[in-house]
Amino acid sequence: MKVRTLADLRQIQKAMAQRAAQAAAARAAAEAARREAEERAQRDRLLFERAVGPVQRLAPHGRIEPQRPRPRPVPHQRQADERAVMQAALSDEFDVETLLHTDEHLSFRRPGIGPDVARRLRQGHWAIQAELDLHGLRTDEARERLAAFIREAHKHGLRCVRVVHGKGLGSPGKTPVLKGRVHSWLVQKSEVLAFVQARPADGGAGALVVLLRTASHGRA
């Protein structure tokens, strides 16, 4: 800023005085904050010493501690517990044959669920809302997939789902290994009210249509 008159000079001097005052105020505030922090730290040290007794400060070791990013925690134990619970809940030794209704089409229903429920389920009274295909899976993997599928379907309020286990045509001896296992696993799931063999258009002997409980555990 050019100074042409005495008034300009006075204006510059006033501005410089204001900036100097602001800088002094900022320094004073910083110094007050520093003193307050030191006093607080001193009070904390005294409080600690009174609580634990005399202490001796360790000599500086001179090492630099590297700042490495820590990996995110992985709940390995919880995952292992969930897998163990899932496997324990679905046993391959469970005898399901005495619980199945072997009419012209295999079916299952819980005690208290009338035969009309199986009939309506077979006729497509409930729309199929989700499907799980177990083709080509090993027994352990199929068990885990089925348990998770039923649990999630019930959690999201689905009533009717289809489980495709296959007819076993590609298995050794053309024996449907998964078919019997799936029957047994489904009977052991409390979320399952009933299931029937699917209609030919829905997979026939290679699939089951499953009716699940409502979230309020009401009747079908």
Side-chain angles (χ1 to χ4, degrees):
M1 180 177 179
K2 293 182 179 180
V3 179
R4 294 190 178 91
T5 63
L6 184 59
D8 292 341
L9 180 60
R10 289 175 179 171
Q11 185 176 0
I12 292 174
Q13 291 175 336
K14 183 179 180 180
M16 292 177 64
Q18 289 176 346
R19 285 198 291 270
Q22 292 172 352
R27 287 193 298 271
E31 180 62 21
R34 185 186 64 79
R35 287 197 302 269
E36 183 180 356
E38 289 180 352
E39 291 172 359
R40 187 185 306 114
Q42 180 66 16
R43 289 196 300 270
D44 291 343
R45 284 194 296 271
L46 293 175
L47 180 62
F48 177 76
E49 290 175 359
R50 284 198 296 267
V52 302
V55 296
Q56 182 177 359
R57 186 181 298 274
L58 294 176
H61 50 64
R63 296 190 300 270
I64 298 177
E65 298 293 339
Q67 297 295 325
R68 298 190 182 95
R70 295 185 177 182
R72 297 182 60 183
V74 178
H76 291 296
Q77 186 59 50
R78 188 182 70 186
Q79 294 172 354
D81 291 343
E82 290 177 351
R83 286 194 297 269
V85 169
M86 189 179 298
Q87 292 177 358
L90 299 181
S91 171
D92 291 338
E93 304 302 322
F94 186 82
D95 184 10
V96 70
E97 296 300 324
T98 58
L99 301 177
L100 298 178
H101 300 276
T102 53
D103 49 13
E104 69 275 14
H105 299 291
L106 177 143
S107 65
F108 162 80
R109 61 181 187 272
R110 296 276 176 204
I113 302 299
D116 59 316
V117 172
R119 175 179 53 80
R120 286 187 292 165
L121 188 59
R122 186 175 294 117
Q123 293 175 347
H125 177 81
W126 290 277
I128 295 175
Q129 298 170 290
E131 176 181 297
L132 174 66
D133 192 344
L134 300 175
H135 273 113
L137 299 183
R138 296 175 301 173
T139 300
D140 289 344
E141 186 177 5
R143 181 197 300 114
E144 293 183 9
R145 290 276 190 92
L146 179 64
F149 174 72
I150 295 298
R151 185 175 63 251
E152 288 300 311
H154 179 259
K155 177 181 176 181
H156 288 87
L158 304 187
R159 286 304 314 275
C160 185
V161 297
R162 177 168 53 213
V163 177
V164 180
H165 49 66
K167 299 179 180 180
L169 299 180
S171 303
K174 299 191 182 301
T175 302
V177 177
L178 279 182
K179 184 174 182 178
R181 297 286 177 85
V182 169
H183 294 166
S184 174
W185 296 336
L186 286 175
V187 169
Q188 296 175 68
K189 294 297 292 180
S190 61
E191 299 93 340
V192 174
L193 281 179
F195 62 76
V196 300
Q197 181 175 297
R199 296 177 295 180
D202 294 328
L208 296 172
V209 179
V210 184
L211 183 67
L212 303 178
R213 297 179 185 272
T214 60
S216 60
H217 302 287
R219 293 188 57 160

